[in-house]
Amino acid sequence: MATALIILAAGQGTRMNSDLPKVLHPLAGVPLIQHAIDSGAAVSPERTIVVTGHGADQVEAAVAQIDDTITCVRQEEQLGTGHAVLQARAALDGFTGDAIVLYGDTPFIGQDTIEALTAARAQHDVVVLGFEAADPARYGRLVVEGDQLTQIVEYKDATEDQRAITLCNSGVMAADAGVLFDLLDGLGNDNASGEYYLTDAVAIARARGLSAGTVTCPEAETLGINSRAELARAEAVFQAAKRAEAMDNGVTMYAPDTVFFAHDTYVGRDSVIEQNVIFGPGVTVESGVKIRAFSHLEGCHVSRGATVGPFARLRPGAELAEEVHIGNFVEIKNAVIDEGAKVNHLSYIGDAHVGQATNIGAGTITCNYDGVFKHHTEIGARAFIGSNTMLVAPVRVGDEAMTGSGSVITTDVPDGAIGIARARQANKDGLARRLFASLRAAKAAKAAKNKETN
Ligand code: UD1
Ligand code: CA
């Protein structure tokens, strides 16, 4: 059955104390809202609607970056969660199927949980995701009789008896989209907050003779972010889980607490990640790779048997083939490094292709940027780039070619040739000794003069 996601992201997030809208604060390397989008991917949604309000321009731009098929709709005034969901109605005109409501600030809802929610729609017209709260605090309470959810009461509106209930509302709900909007048409705002509550859809459904039920998930999945402290806690929870998963998958880490992953980091079996390594989004590391200490990787692919670091930086578009060696203080950006090539020391390789088994000497730089445009550097197979070579792109160094140390290469070096581009050396016989002697004499004369004047 077709499914649509409605992701609520109009709230202000006052407690973040930030100019950045709450749902754009990064968790595991990507904006919070991307986590909600990823949770919903479990049901391969036919449509996704994000309801924006506070910071709408920024949120809409970020959502378009994540997935340009997502529709954003605006909730001009934040009149409550039920009102927010209703804003999606026009965008879902003509859609038939289920709608699942998620919050943009709740990043950990599992894909299995969403699947369970969808499956429970076979029994109930409306399904609400609940959790047993260790401290139910101010969550909405789920009032259940037998297999029926009779209503959701907000903490502010609840009686003492209802407040004693520990089964709480996560905010996630599933129902047929048409049915849900019809139910929400029946909402009022005569409650303690004066808001149109999405949660009231349950009592309205029951009054109309529809069935409502619950599915539960671990409380950890329902963690919502309201403050920087909660964001930091969520990051710690994510990192702990991701480290444990990596180790279960056969990855060695000597100090896992110092390794930071992104939401989508993949590391293969028998890879070793040393201390203080940071992964940004979009990294795939194959099996048997060694990532040495203090390296930073993002948007890159490291193939089997490669070694990276210590102190290396792999930026987006770095593509390392098998057995490549990237050493200390080396930066690679948008460059393909073929099998067995080595870039071991103090180099920048950007917008380039380095051929198989080529050796890049210390201090090599691809001068890829002219201040306006970026240019490509092509280095052939089994080539040898001398230390401190500047490769002024666009330029090509051929297969089995070399460059002389210290060269500034501005024109192509043919296959098998050596390009040398530096001033020729001249030795002046005896000049160093004469220079030393005259400098030392000057120093002695200066010392003698100081002694006289003191
Ligand atoms: C809501 C639920 C409560 C549940 C809790 C779980 C209601 C009435 N209450 O309460 O039962 O236990 O979540 O965290 O639904 N939003 C909008 N527009 C609005 C209002 C809210 O987009 O007009 C968005 C917010 O940005 C947020 C989400 O909806 O992402 C939840 O809103 P929030 O105000 O945090 O709801 P709670 O009071 O926490
Ligand atoms: Ca909340």
Side-chain angles (χ1 to χ4, degrees):
M1 196 216 311
T3 307
L5 299 180
I6 301 174
I7 302 178
L8 306 190
Q12 181 156 27
T14 316
R15 287 203 282 142
M16 293 302 282
N17 188 15
S18 177
D19 286 340
L20 188 67
K22 177 163 79 172
V23 295
L24 299 189
H25 280 263
L27 174 76
V30 291
L32 275 176
I33 195 162
Q34 186 164 339
H35 293 273
I37 295 168
D38 289 349
S39 305
V43 294
S44 310
E46 189 169 289
R47 305 224 203 140
T48 298
I49 314 295
V50 174
V51 181
T52 63
H54 282 280
D57 290 339
Q58 272 172 285
V59 174
E60 287 165 12
V63 166
Q65 286 280 309
I66 294 166
D67 179 349
D68 62 8
T69 69
I70 293 178
T71 307
C72 290
V73 298
R74 289 205 185 185
Q75 185 193 24
E76 299 294 349
E77 265 188 294
Q78 280 68 59
L79 302 180
T81 48
H83 180 259
V85 171
L86 271 175
Q87 308 312 304
R89 178 183 248 160
L92 287 177
D93 192 32
F95 170 82
T96 51
D98 268 12
I100 297 179
V101 179
L102 298 171
Y103 292 170
D105 63 1
T106 304
F108 293 139
I109 305 287
Q111 297 206 345
D112 312 354
T113 297
I114 302 281
E115 280 165 15
L117 190 80
T118 315
R121 278 274 298 112
Q123 283 86 52
H124 300 286
D125 297 301
V126 177
V127 182
V128 170
L129 179 65
F131 61 101
E132 278 296 337
D135 171 14
R138 304 184 67 80
Y139 287 115
R141 305 297 206 266
L142 302 187
V143 182
V144 173
E145 279 171 26
D147 76 330
Q148 289 293 317
L149 174 62
T150 58
Q151 62 167 327
I152 305 177
V153 274
E154 288 308 293
Y155 175 81
K156 283 188 191 172
D157 303 296
T159 63
E160 279 308 309
D161 280 356
Q162 288 168 332
R163 286 182 181 178
I165 296 170
T166 53
L167 182 62
C168 291
N169 176 29
S170 68
V172 179
M173 188 184 283
D176 174 82
V179 169
L180 180 63
F181 293 130
D182 284 347
L183 293 172
L184 295 179
D185 278 336
L187 289 185
N189 64 350
D190 182 15
N191 52 50
S193 307
E195 290 185 1
Y196 296 90
Y197 291 162
L198 170 63
T199 46
D200 284 349
V202 169
I204 296 170
R206 295 305 312 283
R208 293 185 186 176
L210 299 178
S211 161
T214 64
V215 160
T216 57
C217 70
E219 182 168 10
E221 290 188 27
T222 69
L223 183 71
I225 310 299
N226 298 296
S227 65
R228 309 251 185 184
E230 285 172 358
L231 182 64
R233 214 145 46 222
E235 184 73 39
V237 165
F238 167 82
Q239 294 299 340
K242 192 81 178 175
R243 289 166 189 146
E245 179 194 300
M247 291 186 281
D248 282 349
N249 290 344
V251 176
T252 291
M253 288 182 279
Y254 303 124
D257 288 352
T258 70
V259 174
F260 292 85
F261 293 105
H263 74 127
D264 60 351
T265 308
Y266 175 81
V267 183
R269 195 161 168 266
D270 286 325
S271 282
V272 175
I273 304 170
E274 291 186 355
Q275 292 84 341
N276 297 293
V277 171
I278 296 178
F279 293 91
V283 177
T284 301
V285 173
E286 293 185 4
S287 307
V289 167
K290 189 161 201 173
I291 309 290
R292 303 201 55 200
F294 296 98
S295 292
H296 189 286
L297 295 83
E298 95 191 275
C300 61
H301 176 204
V302 182
S303 302
R304 190 180 288 269
T307 68
V308 174
F311 299 98
R313 180 163 184 215
L314 301 184
R315 292 174 53 203
E319 168 75 43
L320 314 190
E322 294 187 10
E323 306 293 335
V324 160
H325 288 205
I326 302 300
N328 41 266
F329 306 107
V330 170
E331 174 179 343
I332 311 281
K333 185 216 75 170
N334 186 33
V336 176
I337 315 293
D338 285 350
E339 191 174 339
K342 295 189 170 107
V343 192
N344 274 332
H345 331 268
L346 296 158
S347 291
Y348 171 62
I349 304 295
D351 301 315
H353 171 217
V354 175
Q356 179 240 317
T358 280
N359 192 302
I360 307 287
T364 296
I365 291 176
T366 53
C367 309
N368 60 325
Y369 187 47
D370 58 17
V372 179
F373 295 106
K374 301 277 172 65
H375 301 282
H376 181 83
T377 299
E378 181 69 29
I379 301 171
R382 299 170 304 284
F384 183 92
I385 304 299
S387 292
N388 200 33
T389 296
M390 301 295 113
L391 297 158
V392 182
V395 74
R396 176 179 184 275
V397 176
D399 292 340
E400 286 160 15
M402 290 187 183
T403 67
S405 286
S407 289
V408 179
I409 300 293
T410 54
T411 56
D412 291 355
V413 180
D415 291 351
I418 301 188
I420 303 175
R422 62 185 186 218
R424 187 172 285 279
Q425 180 171 334
N427 292 338
K428 311 285 183 190
D429 282 340
L431 183 57
R433 282 207 184 93
R434 292 200 296 282
L435 190 57
F436 274 133
S438 94
L439 291 172
R440 283 174 189 136
K443 189 178 181 185
K446 200 173 167 195
K449 198 171 170 213
N450 279 348
K451 212 171 172 188
E452 255 169 47
T453 54
N454 281 346

